[in-house]
Amino acid sequence: QDQLQQKIICPGPVTCLTASPNGLYILAGVAESIYLWEVSNGNLLAILNRHYQDLTCLCFTDDSSHFLSGAKDCLALVWNLYNVLQAEPSQIPDPRHVWSRHSLPITDLCCGFGGPLARAATASLDQTAKLWEISSGELLLSVLFDVGIMAVTLDLSEYHMFCGGMDGSIFQVDLCAWPVQRDRTFQTERENGKVFKGHRNQVTCLSVSTDGSLLLSGSHDETVRLWDIQSKQCLKTMNHKGPVTNAFIVLAPANIRHLHGTESSDEPGAEGVTLRLGLHQQEPGQSYLEKAERMYSQMYSTREKNLVGDQEHLTIQVSELEEEVSNLRKINKDLFDFSTRIITKPAK
């Protein structure tokens, strides 16, 4: 049977669009409003009007429980999807958090892993990228650059934040750098080993591979570039006939048609290019579901190992502290016994 097609008419130009990871909902930014639809039947579930200027970006948390919105009014809002769905039609629900620390329009948003406990990154024309905690709404890190930031993303382990600038540079920010500073300045001349150079115009989108080894970037210079993160070398350049507005890395189904290099589609009017990574590493006869399951198991085992490693480190620290306390108690007892003998020693 033919699949049912849904056509949704929007009241104006759509400036940003995203779908929930569970595939149940679609969000769109139209002027100052956020529209929420249910995918299965196309019903409009909510219209949120809490921004004062046009929407620029939207993104969901990985568990689809929350979503973030950014706009030209310099605000980034965090919404609880359950509260939005449960609100009365006549009421506009309040966002869970209102982040107002940017001074110029928000250009991009990115959520890490962890659902409501995840961290989120925001980019802005005010030349800063900021890292936030969704659960508390607190600002964790603010990095100042010498150019406006147009795109931001995190690697899977959240050790690094990648920021695309208006001048075509891509900056790698170490989130585990020591000493820990909430306000940091990225000085390009001192951190040449953490800058990807190659684009000739502003970077519009960034995406990191699941294993954290590759970075994909799109730019208004009409190219998409694939980078090796470790060496900062460009591995492949794909040319387009106009500014690139979006590019991302996904786990591709086995039956999708894959294009290599700058090969273009035979379909008239097609403007997209799909690049299949690591063909030489593909295992024969393995289905997409098997590969996806293997990739996700590796991904979550890495996170579990990190957690287990933290727990083991904490256990060692506790053991060391307990041993230190035991030694101090012994020293204190020896001092007490010595003092007692001196004080109670009978005079000759």
Side-chain angles (χ1 to χ4, degrees):
Q1 295 181 354
D2 292 336
Q3 184 177 0
L4 177 64
Q5 300 291 325
Q6 293 285 350
K7 184 176 181 180
I8 300 174
I9 305 298
C10 298
V14 176
T15 56
C16 49
L17 181 73
T18 190
S20 62
N22 60 18
L24 299 180
Y25 305 100
I26 289 179
L27 285 173
V30 180
E32 303 168 4
S33 303
I34 303 172
Y35 287 74
L36 174 65
W37 288 280
E38 188 173 5
V39 172
S40 61
N41 51 28
N43 290 340
L44 178 63
L45 302 179
I47 302 176
L48 307 175
N49 297 289
R50 287 288 176 156
H51 284 284
Y52 305 104
Q53 294 185 38
D54 290 355
L55 270 293
T56 57
C57 43
L58 292 163
C59 72
F60 272 94
T61 56
D62 62 323
D63 66 344
S64 304
S65 65
H66 292 72
F67 61 90
L68 283 69
S69 60
K72 293 182 179 180
D73 58 7
C74 314
L75 298 178
L77 307 183
V78 180
W79 303 85
N80 185 315
L81 180 60
Y82 177 81
N83 291 342
V84 171
L85 295 175
Q86 293 298 314
E88 296 293 332
S90 59
Q91 296 178 344
I92 300 178
D94 293 325
R96 180 173 178 179
H97 300 300
V98 178
W99 293 335
S100 57
R101 300 291 292 272
H102 286 289
S103 57
L104 286 175
I106 307 293
T107 54
D108 197 16
L109 294 166
C110 173
C111 279
F113 282 88
L117 302 178
R119 297 186 294 182
T122 57
S124 171
L125 292 177
D126 64 7
Q127 302 185 0
T128 67
K130 300 183 187 295
L131 190 68
W132 311 80
E133 187 177 59
I134 292 180
S135 58
S136 65
E138 292 184 4
L139 175 64
L140 303 177
L141 174 67
S142 178
V143 184
L144 176 64
F145 301 88
D146 52 9
V147 295
I149 302 301
M150 303 301 299
V152 65
T153 191
L154 300 167
D155 64 1
L156 187 64
S157 60
E158 297 183 21
Y159 285 141
H160 302 106
M161 179 170 64
F162 299 92
C163 306
M166 293 190 68
D167 64 348
S169 299
I170 303 171
F171 309 100
Q172 176 181 311
V173 179
D174 294 335
L175 300 180
C176 300
W178 188 265
V180 178
Q181 296 175 312
R182 195 177 74 168
D183 296 296
R184 194 188 308 175
T185 300
F186 191 97
Q187 298 178 339
T188 305
E189 64 278 3
R190 295 184 182 179
E191 305 191 62
N192 287 328
K194 299 178 182 177
V195 181
F196 301 78
K197 295 182 178 180
H199 284 297
R200 301 181 304 277
N201 205 331
Q202 68 183 44
V203 177
T204 57
C205 49
L206 295 169
S207 179
V208 181
S209 62
T210 306
D211 63 359
S213 65
L214 300 173
L215 174 69
L216 190 72
S217 62
S219 170
H220 275 187
D221 66 4
E222 304 183 359
T223 66
V224 171
R225 290 176 179 264
L226 186 67
W227 308 83
D228 176 70
I229 293 178
Q230 185 68 28
S231 64
K232 307 295 184 293
Q233 297 297 311
C234 180
L235 304 178
K236 188 178 290 290
T237 301
M238 292 155 279
N239 296 307
H240 288 259
K241 297 180 180 179
V244 177
T245 57
N246 201 5
F248 51 92
I249 298 174
V250 295
L251 296 174
N255 58 352
I256 195 171
R257 180 182 178 186
H258 299 283
L259 306 177
H260 307 282
T262 57
E263 184 182 346
S264 60
S265 173
D266 296 334
E267 299 179 7
E271 300 178 357
V273 172
T274 303
L275 174 69
R276 189 169 188 175
L277 307 178
L279 284 175
H280 61 283
Q281 298 175 350
Q282 297 285 335
E283 297 181 13
Q286 192 177 32
S287 70
Y288 166 68
L289 291 177
E290 291 172 339
K291 286 184 286 188
E293 184 178 358
R294 178 172 57 85
M295 292 293 289
Y296 281 114
S297 64
Q298 290 177 355
M299 180 175 70
Y300 285 107
S301 66
T302 302
R303 293 177 60 85
E304 289 172 1
K305 287 179 182 177
N306 290 338
L307 293 174
V308 170
D310 292 340
Q311 292 174 353
E312 291 178 351
H313 181 66
L314 183 61
T315 302
I316 293 173
Q317 284 186 319
V318 170
S319 299
E320 291 176 350
L321 290 173
E322 288 178 345
E323 184 178 354
E324 184 68 20
V325 169
S326 177
N327 290 334
L328 289 174
R329 284 177 176 170
K330 184 177 182 302
I331 292 172
N332 186 56
K333 184 177 182 303
D334 292 342
L335 284 174
F336 178 79
D337 293 341
F338 176 77
S339 301
T340 303
R341 288 197 302 270
I342 294 296
I343 294 173
T344 59
K345 186 177 181 180
K348 293 184 179 178

